Amino acid sequence: MAQSSFLSPAPSCCISTQSFNQRKYEQLSYGNFLTKPMQLRVSSGFRARAKVVNHVTHTATEIPSQWYNLIADLPIKPPPPLNPRTFEPIKPEDLSALFPDELIKQEVSSERFIDIPEDVLDVYKLWRPTPLIRAKRLEKLIDTPARIYYKYEGGSPAGSHKPNTAVPQVWYNVQQGVKKVATETGAGQWGSALAFACSLFNLDCESLVSPMGPFLLLWFLLQVWQVRASYDQKPYRKLMMETWGAKVHPSPSEITEAGKRILQSDPSSPGSLGIAISEAVEVAATNVDTKYCLGSVLNHVLLHQTVIGEECIKQMEAFGETPDVIIGCTGGGSNFGGLCFPFIREKLNGKIDPLIRAVEPEACPSLTKGSYAYDYGDTAGMTPLMKMHTLGHDFIPDPIHAGGLRYHGMAPLVSHVYELGLMEAIAIPQTECFQGAIQFARSEGLIPAPEPTHAIAAAIREALHCRETGEAKVILIAMCGHGHFDLTAYEKYLQGNLVDLSFAEEKIQASLAKIPQMVP
């Protein structure tokens, strides 16, 4: 058994001229089509998307070769995470029970750019670069002079932005000889992405035959604790994870001590990301052959996601546009940070001055209603203490359909940026979000996941305001995934059975009262 000092419950039509042999995959941002874009198939099996350009020839958007670290450019550095036993800044060795060495280095790094490994880039080429699309039909539907663009991440194998960090996390674990990982997932997008990534790196597998036919015995094993509410709401996400070889448990579960404690106090608990994190961390911390992977919140996760914003900057330039407003949904912060952090760099450098807006669920409003304080990243108090906007580590949000946003805290780096005044935040109820989602789906054709519906709803608000003022603002939103596995939520909305879930102020205050009291 291996356990870190703090990992136990705390007392409290342009085609690149490069040959297809040299570049297996190339996807170009595209503008106003005179005709539909061509779809090309190449011998390697990868898809190349071409574009027909109206009046202007745009160059290809390349996949970034480096991740961007916003910490390097911030005027004030973010507060460090603390060891909950000593209340001293965490040391890299304190994290070694959970993460491989390279990810720990990235977590504490202050380097501006970090090279993306070639193996990771090779996998990224399956779906990157992702398209930046102007929502002209949505603009027409709501009769706005604003120009709305969305960066669409739903074309990845897992259907969301999550593989951007899942692939490098698994790769770094494999390089260190790790063969088992544990994780949590809310809506199932992160669990699906990690299961996909694990399946790619099964380099040493053997074919066996069972009564059900041949199958692969995976040597890289993944256990996923999925929040109970989403586990019940989204059965096909579970099947997706299992198809890629993961073992999925509903959380809270009887497998871990953390889960047992929750079920003893509330046998019908809907679970939360904080609880699921506790269970996954417990398994990793008490098994020497297992590491932990996290899909949001931490610095290295947001770092990996900056491929979104780096691509988008080039694509906006190709359109000849500069965003006036940038909007992203926030739960743990990875999608928001991935799009916005490179733009914040440009803002700090005086090149652009967009309004950057985070949108969170009204039922889980960590930025708009939470306290900026040191708190645990999980319910059981097994993680380091992180300075973040928090509703309290034992706050259990109501089971809204945006399961990926049901987290009690915000990424420390996003929280720090918010405190520096570089962004703003609002909260929106889920019925307004699904109303916007229906408008988006019926005009743009894409059915969004419940999480980015928050960004869509906020963009529609902004665009309607532009209709009143006559301003032709450029609005950029993060469309982080599709909603093909979330159709039961759409069914409820269309049948009139979806209701807004809020929170009781006394519930938040009771949870905030349990935040560790730090001595100034």
Side-chain angles (χ1 to χ4, degrees):
M1 271 207 186
Q3 190 161 351
S4 176
S5 59
F6 61 82
L7 295 176
S8 59
S12 61
C13 207
C14 293
I15 305 175
S16 172
T17 55
Q18 284 183 295
S19 71
F20 284 119
N21 290 331
Q22 291 174 320
R23 283 185 59 83
K24 296 178 181 178
Y25 175 93
E26 184 169 48
Q27 183 177 28
L28 309 179
S29 61
Y30 46 95
N32 300 328
F33 290 107
L34 294 174
T35 62
K36 291 183 179 180
M38 296 179 291
Q39 297 293 327
L40 305 180
R41 290 275 176 182
V42 296
S43 58
S44 64
F46 295 112
R47 182 176 66 195
R49 181 173 294 156
K51 63 178 181 179
V52 179
V53 183
N54 185 7
H55 304 306
V56 181
T57 299
H58 294 167
T59 57
T61 298
E62 300 289 339
I63 301 173
S65 61
Q66 294 178 310
W67 294 304
Y68 168 63
N69 184 4
L70 178 62
I71 292 174
D73 291 320
L74 290 177
I76 301 174
K77 303 309 177 189
L82 303 180
N83 186 310
R85 300 296 180 186
T86 65
F87 298 113
E88 295 293 326
I90 208 81
K91 298 176 182 177
E93 54 266 29
D94 293 331
L95 301 172
S96 61
L98 296 183
F99 305 111
D101 295 342
E102 287 302 315
L103 290 181
I104 295 173
K105 291 178 183 177
Q106 291 177 11
E107 184 65 23
V108 301
S109 175
S110 58
E111 294 182 29
R112 181 169 285 104
F113 293 101
I114 295 176
D115 291 339
I116 303 175
E118 285 297 324
D119 288 344
V120 173
L121 283 171
D122 190 53
V123 177
Y124 278 177
K125 291 173 186 177
L126 286 170
W127 71 92
R128 304 211 70 85
T130 57
L132 175 68
I133 304 170
R134 182 174 171 187
K136 295 186 72 173
R137 293 175 180 84
L138 178 63
E139 296 167 12
K140 183 178 180 180
L141 177 69
I142 60 179
D143 189 26
T144 178
R147 300 189 295 282
I148 304 171
Y149 292 86
Y150 60 96
K151 178 68 167 164
Y152 183 54
E153 293 290 305
S156 75
S160 76
H161 68 296
K162 293 295 187 179
N164 297 333
T165 184
V167 171
Q169 286 193 48
V170 171
W171 188 82
Y172 285 119
N173 273 287
V174 168
Q175 300 311 299
Q176 197 161 310
V178 177
K179 295 186 178 181
K180 295 180 182 179
V181 292
T183 196
E184 78 297 322
T185 192
Q189 291 177 339
W190 166 242
S192 299
L194 195 64
F196 155 71
C198 287
S199 72
L200 295 180
F201 293 100
N202 286 305
L203 305 178
D204 181 19
C205 57
E206 51 185 300
S207 181
L208 299 180
V209 177
S210 75
M212 298 177 63
F215 66 94
L216 292 177
L217 178 64
L218 305 181
W219 75 275
F220 196 102
L221 301 178
L222 167 64
Q223 291 194 80
V224 181
W225 272 262
Q226 184 174 17
V227 174
R228 165 59 79 174
S230 294
Y231 183 92
D232 294 335
Q233 290 171 349
K234 308 174 195 293
Y236 293 108
R237 278 287 176 192
K238 171 178 175 288
L239 288 172
M240 194 178 193
M241 289 182 267
E242 291 175 338
T243 298
W244 277 317
K247 174 65 176 175
V248 186
H249 312 284
S251 173
S253 73
E254 293 285 354
I255 298 172
T256 67
E257 293 303 315
K260 289 177 183 177
R261 284 194 296 271
I262 295 294
L263 290 174
Q264 286 172 359
S265 61
D266 182 7
S268 61
S269 171
S272 69
L273 278 169
I275 295 171
I277 291 172
S278 293
E279 296 202 81
V281 167
E282 179 182 322
V283 169
T286 56
N287 290 275
V288 70
D289 62 346
T290 303
K291 297 292 186 184
Y292 170 65
C293 293
L294 184 61
S296 192
V297 180
L298 297 180
N299 292 347
H300 69 267
V301 179
L302 276 63
L303 173 82
H304 300 157
Q305 293 292 354
T306 58
V307 292
I308 303 172
E310 293 290 11
E311 285 179 5
C312 196
I313 286 174
K314 299 297 183 184
Q315 290 169 321
M316 291 297 289
E317 291 174 353
F319 275 116
E321 297 274 39
T322 300
D324 296 302
V325 184
I326 304 175
I327 301 172
C329 66
T330 48
S334 67
N335 160 66
F336 176 84
L339 176 66
C340 296
F341 282 3
F343 283 97
I344 291 176
R345 175 191 66 219
E346 302 301 291
K347 182 173 183 174
L348 289 170
N349 290 336
K351 296 180 179 179
I352 58 175
D353 189 26
L355 174 66
I356 298 173
R357 180 176 297 146
V359 191
E360 57 187 5
E362 204 170 66
C364 193
S366 59
L367 281 170
T368 55
K369 296 291 185 180
S371 175
Y372 186 52
Y374 272 101
D375 196 10
Y376 298 104
D378 72 310
T379 300
M382 300 183 71
T383 69
L385 291 166
M386 297 179 288
K387 190 72 174 290
M388 60 184 178
H389 288 86
T390 177
L391 298 169
H393 58 274
D394 65 351
F395 179 80
I396 299 179
D398 288 331
I400 57 172
H401 284 276
L405 307 185
R406 291 182 64 246
Y407 184 58
H408 68 272
M410 183 53 60
L413 193 49
V414 172
S415 293
H416 183 62
V417 169
Y418 185 56
E419 287 296 307
L420 292 178
L422 297 173
M423 55 174 279
E424 66 176 37
I426 62 173
I428 295 183
Q430 67 175 352
T431 53
E432 181 181 347
C433 294
F434 275 90
Q435 179 185 5
I438 294 296
Q439 291 177 296
F440 188 90
R442 291 179 180 177
S443 57
E444 293 300 312
L446 295 172
I447 299 175
E451 290 79 13
T453 64
H454 292 73
I456 292 169
I460 291 174
R461 280 188 185 183
E462 186 70 30
L464 292 176
H465 178 70
C466 288
R467 187 175 70 185
E468 297 297 320
T469 64
E471 296 173 281
K473 289 183 179 179
V474 176
I475 303 170
L476 171 63
I477 64 175
M479 237 293 258
C480 58
H482 66 66
H484 299 170
F485 297 101
D486 304 285
L487 294 178
T488 54
Y490 281 88
E491 180 182 32
K492 285 189 175 182
Y493 177 80
L494 292 170
Q495 292 178 348
N497 296 324
L498 191 71
V499 297
D500 286 327
L501 299 173
S502 189
F503 61 90
E505 188 67 37
E506 56 270 21
K507 181 179 177 182
I508 289 183
Q509 294 306 318
S511 183
L512 289 174
K514 298 178 183 178
I515 291 176
Q517 299 301 305
M518 306 296 297
V519 178

